Amino acid sequence: MDWRVRRIGQALFTVWGVITISFLLVRLMPGNPMSAMIVELEEQGISPTQARYLVELRLNIDPEEPIPIAYVNYVGSMIQGDLGHSMYYDRPVVEVLATALPWTLFVLSWAAFISFFLGITLGALMAYWEGGRLDLGLTGYATVMGSVPFYVLAILLLVFLGYRYGIFPTGGRQPTGVEPGFNWTYIRGVIHHAALPVISMLVVSGAASLSMRGNSIRVLGEDYLRVARLRGLPDSTIAIQYVARNAILPMYTGLMISIGSMFGGSIILEEVFAYRGVGYYMMSAVNQRDYPLMLGAFTIITIAVVIALLIADLTYSKIDPRAGGGKSEGL
Amino acid sequence: MKDSRGPTDGDGQPKAADGDGQPKAADGGSVNSPFETISDIEETRRDRYRKRYENYVYAPFSIIWDDWRARIGLAIIALYVFVGTVGVFLVEPTTNLDGSAFIQPFETWEHPFGTDRMGRDLFADTIHSTRPILIMMASGGLFTVTVGTVFGTIAGYKGGITDTVLSSITDVFINIPGLPLVIVLAVMFEPRNPVLVGILLSIAAWAGLARAIRSQVLTMRRESFTEAARAMDVSTSRIIRKDILPRLMPYIVINMMNATRNIIFSAVGLYFLGVLPFEDQNWGITLYLAYDAGAHYRPGALHWLLIPMIAIIGISVGLILLGQSLDRVFNPRVRARHRNGEAEAEGSEDVEADNTGMMKQV
Amino acid sequence: MTEQAVSNDDRDASITDPILEVRNATVKFGMDRGESRVLDDVSIDIERNEILGVVGESGSGKSMFASAFLDAIVDPGTLSGEISYYPDSGGEVDVLGLTKSELNQFRWEEIAMVFQGAMSSFNPVRKINTHFVETLTAHGDTVSEGMERARTILSDLYMDPERVLRSYPHELSGGMKQRVLIALSLVLEPEVLVMDEPTAALDLLMQRSIISLIEDIKEKYDLTIVFITHDLPLVVDLADRIGVLYAFEFIEIGPANELLEEAAHPYTRALLKSTPNLTAPVDEMRPIEGSAPDPVNEISGCSYHSRCPMADQRCEVEDPGPYIVDTDHDVHCHYWEEASEAVPMPNDGSGTETGSPDSDQPISVQTPETRPRWAGENPVLSLDDVEVHFEATQDEGLLNLFTDPETVRAVDGISFDIYENDVVVLVGESGCGKTTLGKAAVGLERPTAGRVEYRGQDVWEAKETGGDIPFEDIRQSLQIVHQDPGNALNSYRKVFSSLEEPLVRWYDDLDGNDRRQRILSMLKHVGMSPPEDYIERYPHQLSGGEQQRVALIRAMLMNPDVILADEPVSALDVSLRVEMMDLMLELQDMFDTSYLFISHDLANARYITEKTDGLIGVVYLGKLVEIGTPERIINDPQHPYTRALCWATPELLTETDRTDDSPMRKIDIPDPTDPPSGCRYHTRCPEARDVCREVEPEMVDSGTDETHQRAACFRAQENHEYWTSESIVED
């Protein structure tokens, strides 16, 4: 079978696994949210039938049904895109998250792009002047960056650039009082609001630059590089087509995995900057004990990460001719 | 070749010989073949302990000590451990109104790190926070490494259906984003015990390690040295312990350092968000309280935020430095030549590569 | 001594039209333990359109010599001296004085280089085509014209240009990559081609084929070739002149034939004697004692004096300048005139004209004794119709249960026996399944069909259900010594720890001191002294030969009946091979073991079987095609493939005595996942006929009982339909 089909199968398997975990947590754990919800509703004086109806609306689980059937129905409604009904916002979970997701993706894609670009460039420079002052300095920088949790950076940025000097807004995702649309004031406002969250995520570049440095140094010692130099190829070709390309390849999957962890990190960042993305809603769901919304956000984030990793693996075979297809062990 | 031998050999060898505590005349006389030689002197239990000490304690530590990063890293970690174990008995826990509110750091020696809004002493707070954090780090780090290594090694060495099942589980956990899962679980389970918190935080962290170890074990399983061991009928568990795990150690150690660092980051992050329930003090809770009280915009309160931040950054710098140097400790090449200067070592390797180039060819 | 040392200036009087002049080339590396000279004041002229062979063991500075021509010494080495290049068009180029951009033009346009690491000489993410195009563009050549040239060269090298250009490097086999690299080096039409061990990583057949191609290419493209290798026989019939490098300087330079027949330096003579080949008597082959000097220590006097049998005080003090042996033959030895007595060659006895034996009349091979021990004796190990088929599985994951695997028929029905104190050598190209067969024989690879019996007990039956002989005993009796000694020892364990393993497992009654004592005495026995020092070393601190010794002792400690020795000497320098094989044979005597020896080199196979009265088995694509005593296999091969292997084995013969026509129709081995029908060799066989395509030949006896010769070829049978079948060889 084609390995791509298997890879997609694996991704679906993961999503199924996450849905199953949510079901187990909601329905089967001792003191689970479903029972808690029923007790709470009954305490409010709502009739058992009405409570049952509300629970099914919110969680997609009918408490009366036997567990296997409830499970099948739960998975079924999840597949149809019904993630339940948010208690706090009193709207379908999908609706709440659909407005939030683009903002999260916006911040994340910029953060990922800039930090990878930065990491790769710095790493290449470090490798080029290996052992020099720049190398030493940047290695120090990367080590410190690796020791700073991004939310610590976020708080510091907020304190200084937000509150102290007022350069950037301290919260929100779009400028107030500007008509949303394709106009410069609005776009500038949006970028302005996204700046601090994006900058906070740049700590990722530290680790990326160190591995780029190591890979480049390794490639610089390869035979094919020596042959390329003797063949008289221009420095630019050697730098980009030979060193950079071969150094980035082994990092590629790692970078994509770090998108996954950035997604997780965005929950904390969106809370710090009051940036209304998926993570912000997830946190508000946590604080309000709004289980449908919390699990919905979790599912959405998982699917997004699974898709990112899937794309990473599928495109990897495009950029590295040795991967995929005929990849067999031992040869 | 001889000159590039490392200090273990140089230092360790005469000691090891000494450790046997016996003359070398045993192979003479009645023995016909060198393959039938035995020693005249019996090995005592003390000899064995001494050899173990040489191999597993003395040698690694003397190597670690030669690397400046390791020295700094170890010193930092040791300081935190000291604070977390002994420090808590030396410094009284603080209470509200210990001093007046918002005393700045280094303003008075009574409160070297200053106080918060309630007049709690931040120095005592920091000291008493260290212990639960260290427990989380240790439990989570051990959990990650144990589960990751066990899963990866078994999947890689056993192969077949075992591999298929274990790898599929691993793949699911690799794809699930860690922090959101942890948040969901934290909300559901409300863990309070630091050991449980540590394990919960690393619930998905082991998967990356497991996958990496699996592919390494898979490669090693096909290498000649494990095949030779199988031909000698060495048991699978001994092959894994003696041949495979030592080669994975650099990898495991680095991952352990990264895992513990991530545990601090996410633990503090989750306490800061208020997701994890709390009773005791820790840096994340200090951050949470400070942020909640608006320390990020209130004048004169910045140190309330900065002190836990510095505590976090400090220990993770220690972990990074230690991790970077431990990686080198296990590498026999580094072991063998680490007395030489770095640059020279590279150069001599080039020449060696020329000399040994032929041997490498198949 | 009446000779006078000649000065540097008027040496090489025979060179009339030099294309390159090297004067006092020295390469130095600064290292922490002192400055090391890895090329020491080398001066040499290279004649236009000659092939100069440069022979040196590893660590003799030969790669430095190669890089010097292109001023391409890797950092931190520094090159000093003078290199002058005289292009066809006239004028003189001072190579070391070129600016960076001039050098960029000079390299590849005037002098091109083929590296030893062809496997890693291409950018893995770019197609072969791109490599050619970017080279042409970088030198301002017209791409379309250049690519036309590239296509011609590729087809001259027996490759399909379109297919090759479309491929990525990893899609090509090693031999193809090597040929593509040669094509790439010729695409700018250079005058000089420097080749640094271009065939070292290849099979003998491919190696021999490439050597023939180099000769053709040289004629066609008017090249001057500097061919650098560790393998003296390989270059003997290719080169016009040969220079021998020892300890970073030339110790002898002369015409190839003369060097072969009348080598004047004791080292050259010793090297010739230490090289296993197919013709010289095996008893005459001797290893060179001692080891080459360290580049850091400044050597006073002759660099070879510590190993030379005729060295005296003068040699320790006075650097031997070049002495003229002949107009075009120089030697750096004070006593070269006595060398022929001090280091006698097998062919010295009756003068020079018998230096090369008549190839169809064996003079050296002893008549095999009859083997009484075979009569009525039971084999230790018996393989009966063994098959090993692999499924080339894809990677991990739950869903690969549905994958359609491709089957590789690595071993496809092979039978043979090994007796007590026996030696069987399997030879064949890489990928022919000989290693898999060996591993199946010692119970490390489970056959998919057929039986492997140890003293009559099926090995796998014993493992699963138990048998008359417990599996534990069988396991102990069948051991392995791997091809790559560096990998056979765990690089994370010290020598002591690796050697302790079998003792811990099998000798409970030994305590730590006993083990240590035994290991020490064994190391001493195999010449690793002081053993107290060696047991504390890691494998990378040992030389290849020392690593292999440790691996060998480790296997011997098990006291096995049969040892599978998988190419145990191919990773070693040529001069060390004989020594290692002798050690193996000595240990065989001591332990009463048998060897199943695997080799791609017929010369090694011959050496070891002739010394032990063993058999050589020839394996091709999972089939045993011929088996017999070395005398029969080498002098009267029945199978055309065996004949090809004999042809491919480098010989210490002068040019006139060799046949240069390849006895094969195709250079590349077919894909083992899809082997040819009928006789698997029919696609390459020059004698193939129609019937070979359809019917698979059986093994038939083709010699007498004593020679044990059997071959799977119709030509060995007199009245076979083959003789009336249509030939499928097209010209």
Side-chain angles (χ1 to χ4, degrees):
Chain A
M1 193 194 296
D2 193 275
W3 67 276
R4 291 178 195 86
V5 181
R6 276 190 291 128
R7 183 61 189 79
I8 292 170
Q10 190 201 37
L12 294 175
F13 182 70
T14 305
V15 173
W16 169 77
V18 166
I19 292 175
T20 306
I21 291 175
S22 330
F23 177 79
L24 293 177
L25 289 175
V26 174
R27 178 72 181 81
L28 288 180
M29 281 298 148
N32 61 60
M34 191 196 70
S35 328
M37 204 183 277
I38 293 174
V39 172
E40 197 182 313
L41 287 169
E42 281 176 353
E43 275 172 2
Q44 288 168 13
I46 295 168
S47 74
T49 359
Q50 183 69 9
R52 211 185 111 189
Y53 167 76
L54 277 176
V55 166
E56 197 190 345
L57 172 74
R58 288 169 180 175
L59 290 175
N60 283 328
I61 298 172
D62 183 343
E64 301 291 311
E65 271 175 353
I67 287 166
I69 295 178
Y71 173 67
V72 171
N73 288 338
Y74 181 79
V75 175
S77 48
M78 283 291 195
I79 289 171
Q80 286 163 33
D82 179 2
L83 298 179
H85 196 89
S86 163
M87 292 149 34
Y88 182 70
Y89 294 96
D90 196 21
R91 275 194 299 161
V93 169
V94 173
E95 233 177 271
V96 176
L97 296 178
T99 52
L101 188 62
W103 295 94
T104 301
L105 292 180
F106 172 70
V107 168
L108 272 180
S109 43
W110 274 107
F113 177 76
I114 297 176
S115 55
F116 296 165
F117 182 79
L118 203 66
I120 286 167
T121 316
L122 293 182
L125 291 177
M126 281 147 84
Y128 190 80
W129 282 289
E130 187 198 347
R133 220 176 293 164
L134 181 88
D135 182 22
L136 218 64
L138 285 178
T139 309
Y141 155 83
T143 309
V144 172
M145 280 303 240
S147 317
V148 178
F150 55 90
Y151 53 83
V152 164
L153 185 61
I155 296 172
L156 291 175
L157 289 171
L158 190 65
V159 168
F160 291 100
L161 300 183
Y163 288 102
R164 285 274 161 96
Y165 303 109
I167 300 172
F168 291 101
T170 56
R173 64 188 189 191
Q174 51 191 338
T176 43
V178 181
E179 184 68 20
F182 202 73
N183 61 70
W184 174 235
T185 340
Y186 181 71
I187 292 173
R188 207 190 58 164
V190 166
I191 293 175
H192 204 198
H193 279 81
L196 287 187
V198 168
I199 296 174
S200 312
M201 289 215 187
L202 294 189
V203 287
V204 176
S205 66
S209 67
L210 283 184
S211 61
M212 179 69 185
R213 173 181 182 272
N215 289 345
S216 305
I217 289 173
R218 184 182 51 75
V219 174
L220 284 169
E222 292 279 355
D223 283 346
Y224 57 79
L225 208 80
R226 193 167 173 226
V227 177
R229 289 212 183 101
L230 289 182
R231 280 193 280 141
L233 301 192
D235 288 346
S236 58
T237 312
I238 291 185
I240 294 166
Q241 291 293 345
Y242 279 72
V243 183
R245 232 178 123 177
N246 284 295
I248 292 171
L249 279 182
M251 297 170 61
Y252 188 75
T253 325
L255 291 180
M256 291 299 151
I257 287 178
S258 69
I259 289 186
S261 63
M262 286 165 87
F263 230 117
S266 72
I267 299 174
I268 305 183
L269 283 185
E270 291 179 358
E271 176 76 1
V272 170
F273 292 108
Y275 194 90
R276 289 161 167 267
V278 176
Y280 177 85
Y281 285 105
M282 183 162 178
M283 275 319 298
S284 93
V286 166
N287 292 330
Q288 307 299 333
R289 291 297 186 263
D290 182 350
Y291 295 107
L293 182 57
M294 182 178 81
L295 290 172
F298 172 53
T299 313
I300 291 284
I301 291 177
T302 307
I303 291 174
V305 171
V306 166
I307 290 175
L309 292 179
L310 183 64
I311 293 173
D313 279 2
L314 294 183
T315 48
Y316 184 73
S317 66
K318 294 272 172 250
I319 55 174
D320 187 348
R322 289 162 297 182
K327 184 174 91 181
S328 65
E329 290 161 351
L331 287 177
Chain B
M1 286 267 169
K2 220 174 173 178
D3 304 66
S4 63
R5 295 196 309 112
T8 16
D9 309 270
D11 298 341
Q13 200 255 319
K15 282 200 175 96
D18 194 62
D20 291 343
Q22 56 178 290
K24 293 274 175 330
D27 60 329
S30 58
V31 183
N32 302 325
S33 149
F35 297 89
E36 284 160 22
T37 316
I38 51 163
S39 168
D40 289 345
I41 292 166
E42 227 173 276
E43 186 186 38
T44 63
R45 181 172 296 200
R46 219 178 125 216
D47 290 341
R48 275 204 293 276
Y49 287 147
R50 186 179 233 150
K51 277 177 202 163
R52 281 204 193 134
Y53 168 77
E54 295 285 343
N55 284 335
Y56 299 109
V57 183
Y58 177 77
F61 269 90
S62 64
I63 294 164
I64 290 178
W65 207 240
D66 268 15
D67 192 52
W68 65 269
R69 288 177 301 190
R71 254 180 285 178
I72 297 176
L74 267 184
I76 293 176
I77 305 291
L79 177 70
Y80 278 82
V81 171
F82 175 79
V83 166
T85 51
V86 182
V88 286
F89 296 108
L90 299 180
V91 178
E92 289 276 309
T94 182
T95 51
N96 287 353
L97 302 175
D98 221 356
S100 48
F102 294 132
I103 296 175
Q104 294 300 301
F106 310 116
E107 201 179 292
T108 118
W109 281 115
E110 213 174 315
H111 303 291
F113 289 0
T115 55
D116 68 6
R117 192 177 53 146
M118 309 301 290
R120 290 165 62 92
D121 178 39
L122 286 173
F123 180 69
D125 242 12
T126 310
I127 301 273
H128 286 271
S129 294
T130 311
R131 190 191 182 91
I133 293 274
L134 285 180
I135 295 175
M136 286 176 211
M137 275 167 54
S139 63
L142 280 177
F143 177 82
T144 309
V145 166
T146 315
V147 177
T149 310
V150 168
F151 260 60
T153 319
I154 293 179
Y157 205 86
K158 285 275 173 198
I161 193 78
T162 321
D163 181 22
T164 309
V165 170
L166 292 184
S167 297
S168 301
I169 296 174
T170 309
D171 283 342
V172 170
F173 276 97
I174 280 187
N175 280 313
I176 296 179
L179 201 62
L181 176 67
V182 170
I183 289 177
V184 168
L185 293 178
V187 169
M188 298 281 180
F189 292 101
E190 308 203 327
R192 283 161 201 275
N193 183 332
V195 176
L196 279 185
V197 174
I199 292 174
L200 183 79
L201 289 173
S202 41
I203 198 82
W206 56 270
L209 178 65
R211 181 193 268 186
I213 285 189
R214 175 187 170 274
S215 71
Q216 298 225 6
V217 171
L218 215 55
T219 320
M220 269 186 241
R221 206 167 87 94
R222 278 191 293 260
E223 302 247 16
S224 310
F225 63 87
T226 47
E227 190 173 59
R230 279 199 298 278
M232 293 188 287
D233 203 26
V234 178
S235 65
T236 304
S237 72
R238 191 175 162 91
I239 294 179
I240 290 178
R241 265 185 302 122
K242 291 279 181 174
D243 280 318
I244 292 186
L245 279 184
R247 299 175 71 103
L248 293 175
M249 277 317 280
Y251 209 78
I252 292 174
V253 165
I254 291 259
N255 266 277
M256 173 120 180
M257 295 298 149
N258 284 336
T260 44
R261 203 174 79 231
N262 283 332
I263 285 162
I264 310 173
F265 285 9
S266 30
V268 173
L270 292 191
Y271 280 113
F272 166 63
L273 288 179
V275 173
L276 286 166
F278 57 88
E279 291 149 358
D280 305 338
Q281 201 56 42
N282 73 45
W283 304 326
I285 295 160
T286 311
L287 267 185
Y288 168 76
L289 293 174
Y291 198 79
D292 210 39
H296 49 303
Y297 51 80
R298 184 194 281 255
L302 190 61
H303 67 280
W304 196 3
L305 281 171
L306 286 183
I307 282 174
M309 287 181 182
I310 292 168
I312 300 163
I313 294 174
I315 195 166
S316 65
V317 167
L319 287 172
I320 287 188
L321 290 177
L322 195 61
Q324 283 175 352
S325 54
L326 282 183
D327 163 48
R328 299 159 52 79
V329 164
F330 289 100
N331 182 340
R333 278 182 185 276
V334 178
R335 271 193 184 205
R337 66 159 184 216
H338 85 122
R339 275 240 171 122
N340 306 343
E342 291 281 300
E344 277 81 13
E346 306 262 313
S348 71
E349 199 181 17
D350 283 348
V351 175
E352 262 171 44
D354 180 51
N355 292 343
T356 54
M358 277 310 308
M359 298 188 256
K360 302 282 173 233
Q361 280 158 16
V362 180
Chain C
M1 287 287 107
T2 49
E3 288 81 6
Q4 52 187 16
V6 281
S7 77
N8 266 345
D9 294 329
D10 47 25
R11 58 179 308 197
D12 287 335
S14 59
I15 302 294
T16 49
D17 179 18
I19 189 163
L20 274 164
E21 277 178 13
V22 179
R23 288 292 173 270
N24 310 98
T26 301
V27 175
K28 289 178 190 168
F29 276 87
M31 285 160 66
D32 54 311
R33 48 199 186 100
E35 189 171 73
S36 78
R37 286 169 164 234
V38 288
L39 198 62
D40 194 5
D41 208 11
V42 165
S43 301
I44 189 170
D45 286 357
I46 293 165
E47 176 89 2
R48 200 176 302 280
N49 291 340
E50 78 165 333
I51 298 185
L52 172 71
V54 175
V55 175
E57 290 181 84
S58 51
S60 62
K62 58 186 192 306
S63 290
M64 291 300 151
F65 181 69
S67 307
F69 288 112
L70 286 83
D71 191 12
I73 304 291
V74 284
D75 282 341
T78 52
L79 169 65
S80 60
E82 237 176 90
I83 297 176
S84 309
Y85 168 70
Y86 303 97
D88 280 353
S89 46
E92 181 185 343
V93 178
D94 172 16
V95 176
L96 302 189
L98 295 174
T99 64
K100 189 176 181 258
S101 63
E102 284 168 345
L103 197 58
N104 268 345
Q105 294 301 308
F106 171 77
R107 291 172 179 164
W108 232 257
E109 283 179 35
E110 304 296 335
I111 303 185
M113 184 159 174
V114 176
F115 282 94
Q116 56 176 329
M119 307 308 131
S120 53
S121 287
F122 297 96
N123 187 345
V125 297
R126 312 192 90 189
K127 290 189 174 169
I128 297 296
N129 187 50
T130 321
H131 287 84
F132 281 94
V133 172
E134 67 190 4
T135 311
L136 292 164
T137 341
H139 289 267
D141 277 31
T142 326
V143 173
S144 55
E145 265 176 46
M147 286 315 291
E148 222 27 72
R149 233 165 26 228
R151 287 198 180 82
T152 321
I153 305 170
L154 285 171
S155 41
D156 284 346
L157 293 166
Y158 294 97
M159 287 183 290
D160 171 7
E162 296 312 317
R163 197 180 80 80
V164 166
L165 288 173
R166 262 201 321 273
S167 306
Y168 282 104
H170 72 279
E171 293 166 340
L172 303 176
S173 72
M176 289 172 103
K177 268 189 226 173
Q178 189 65 66
R179 281 177 281 160
V180 172
L181 192 58
I182 293 174
L184 186 59
S185 67
L186 293 175
V187 72
L188 298 178
E189 300 180 299
E191 305 275 336
V192 182
L193 189 57
V194 180
M195 308 181 100
D196 184 7
E197 296 274 15
T199 60
L202 302 176
D203 268 320
L204 283 191
L205 269 176
M206 180 55 71
Q207 184 173 312
R208 187 71 182 80
S209 306
I210 286 182
I211 296 284
S212 312
L213 290 176
I214 290 173
E215 283 170 336
D216 300 345
I217 290 261
K218 185 227 153 193
E219 290 306 319
K220 182 162 175 188
Y221 297 93
D222 254 352
L223 290 167
T224 307
I225 292 181
V226 180
F227 191 100
I228 294 163
T229 180
H230 69 285
D231 196 348
L232 185 52
L234 181 72
V235 78
V236 157
D237 83 307
L238 174 72
D240 303 312
R241 285 196 307 151
I242 290 181
V244 181
L245 269 176
Y246 180 78
F248 326 111
E249 54 192 355
F250 281 107
I251 49 113
E252 184 164 10
I253 302 173
N257 291 347
E258 206 171 311
L259 212 70
L260 188 64
E261 288 166 10
E262 297 168 72
H265 198 283
Y267 173 70
T268 317
R269 300 183 71 85
L271 197 61
L272 283 166
K273 276 179 73 169
S274 71
T275 309
N277 58 67
L278 294 186
T279 43
V282 285
D283 295 335
E284 297 285 339
M285 295 179 195
R286 290 273 183 280
I288 309 178
E289 305 291 332
S291 58
D294 187 312
V296 174
N297 308 333
E298 188 78 40
I299 316 141
S300 72
C302 172
S303 53
Y304 188 61
H305 75 251
S306 59
R307 301 167 84 181
C308 184
M310 31 193 253
D312 63 8
Q313 275 183 336
R314 184 179 173 205
C315 302
E316 283 172 38
V317 187
E318 198 182 323
D319 204 351
Y323 293 97
I324 296 174
V325 178
D326 215 332
T327 43
D328 47 3
H329 185 173
D330 298 341
V331 63
H332 291 245
C333 176
H334 296 304
Y335 304 116
W336 65 270
E337 288 185 309
E338 290 147 42
S340 60
E341 283 159 49
V343 190
M345 299 296 288
N347 53 23
D348 275 354
S350 47
T352 46
E353 69 269 24
T354 56
S356 52
D358 225 357
S359 36
D360 54 359
Q361 202 185 350
I363 57 153
S364 54
V365 179
Q366 302 132 334
T367 39
E369 309 159 23
T370 46
R371 300 154 194 265
R373 67 171 197 270
W374 281 29
E377 229 185 89
N378 290 325
V380 179
L381 200 60
S382 168
L383 277 74
D384 183 23
D385 203 19
V386 168
E387 276 181 22
V388 185
H389 292 185
F390 289 118
E391 287 181 356
T393 41
Q394 309 252 305
D395 52 1
E396 77 267 34
L398 186 68
L399 293 142
N400 73 357
L401 297 175
F402 312 108
T403 315
D404 241 359
E406 249 180 283
T407 307
V408 181
R409 304 159 86 180
V411 177
D412 211 10
I414 290 186
S415 313
F416 64 88
D417 296 332
I418 299 176
Y419 292 83
E420 301 269 7
N421 286 316
D422 194 8
V423 171
V424 173
V425 184
L426 300 173
V427 293
E429 281 166 282
S430 55
C432 73
K434 56 188 191 302
T435 297
T436 315
L437 173 62
K439 287 184 182 171
V442 295
L444 285 171
E445 183 76 59
R446 176 154 208 171
T448 42
R451 286 166 70 83
V452 178
E453 285 176 5
Y454 171 76
R455 301 190 191 280
Q457 167 66 51
D458 186 297
V459 170
W460 293 94
E461 192 185 285
K463 179 165 190 185
E464 251 131 59
T465 57
D468 298 339
I469 304 173
F471 181 71
E472 230 180 39
D473 292 359
I474 301 180
R475 189 62 282 154
Q476 187 186 0
S477 305
L478 306 177
Q479 288 303 307
I480 180 167
V481 173
H482 286 92
Q483 173 171 24
D484 177 5
N487 201 5
L489 303 174
N490 189 342
S491 54
Y492 280 64
R493 297 179 89 165
K494 290 183 182 172
V495 167
F496 178 71
S497 165
S498 284
L499 287 179
E500 203 181 16
E501 201 65 29
L503 296 175
V504 170
R505 171 67 184 83
W506 291 98
Y507 299 91
D508 296 340
D509 52 327
L510 297 183
D511 69 16
N513 288 345
D514 294 332
R515 293 197 292 263
R516 185 181 152 88
Q517 216 50 50
R518 184 167 295 184
I519 289 168
L520 287 176
S521 61
M522 286 190 329
L523 285 171
K524 209 166 170 185
H525 181 80
V526 297
M528 292 170 74
S529 277
E532 287 84 2
D533 173 46
Y534 274 103
I535 59 170
E536 293 293 333
R537 293 199 189 183
Y538 286 98
H540 77 270
Q541 294 169 301
L542 305 175
S543 72
E546 287 166 344
Q547 289 172 347
Q548 195 60 286
R549 269 174 241 211
V550 173
L552 188 60
I553 312 175
R554 185 177 60 183
M556 284 299 176
L557 270 173
M558 306 282 298
N559 204 1
D561 288 342
V562 178
I563 291 183
L564 166 68
D566 183 2
E567 307 253 16
V569 300
S570 63
L572 307 179
D573 252 332
V574 174
S575 67
L576 300 173
R577 291 184 183 167
V578 168
E579 192 181 358
M580 180 54 85
M581 287 191 281
D582 284 345
L583 178 66
M584 293 180 71
L585 297 180
E586 189 203 323
L587 292 176
Q588 180 187 25
D589 270 357
M590 190 180 262
F591 285 88
D592 275 345
T593 51
S594 304
Y595 283 116
L596 175 58
F597 200 100
I598 290 173
S599 176
H600 68 270
D601 187 339
L602 209 49
N604 293 337
R606 176 209 170 215
Y607 182 83
I608 205 142
T609 43
E610 216 165 275
K611 280 208 154 182
T612 56
D613 294 331
L615 296 182
I616 296 179
V618 180
V619 183
Y620 184 72
L621 284 179
K623 295 276 184 192
L624 190 64
V625 296
E626 185 162 7
I627 189 166
T629 57
E631 185 269 327
R632 300 294 301 165
I633 292 285
I634 288 159
N635 293 312
D636 188 18
Q638 293 300 307
H639 200 283
Y641 181 65
T642 315
R643 215 168 294 149
L645 285 181
C646 292
W647 164 80
T649 309
E651 273 307 310
L652 290 168
L653 296 181
T654 44
E655 234 170 298
T656 45
D657 292 314
R658 306 208 50 146
T659 43
D660 262 340
D661 296 327
S662 164
M664 282 186 308
R665 282 150 54 216
K666 273 193 187 145
I667 290 178
D668 293 292
I669 192 166
D671 181 4
T673 56
D674 182 23
S677 60
C679 172
R680 293 194 175 172
Y681 191 57
H682 83 252
T683 52
R684 297 163 89 187
C685 182
E687 314 281 0
R689 301 200 181 179
D690 221 12
V691 62
C692 302
R693 198 153 39 190
E694 279 136 35
V695 187
E696 199 182 317
E698 294 282 314
M699 279 290 237
V700 291
D701 287 342
S702 56
T704 59
D705 277 355
E706 281 131 41
T707 60
H708 306 281
Q709 191 176 19
R710 304 171 73 213
C713 180
F714 301 131
R715 293 171 61 82
Q717 303 169 40
E718 268 171 37
N719 299 318
H720 193 270
E721 67 168 296
Y722 167 87
W723 299 106
T724 55
S725 181
E726 197 82 13
S727 171
I728 56 169
V729 183
E730 332 134 5
D731 283 308

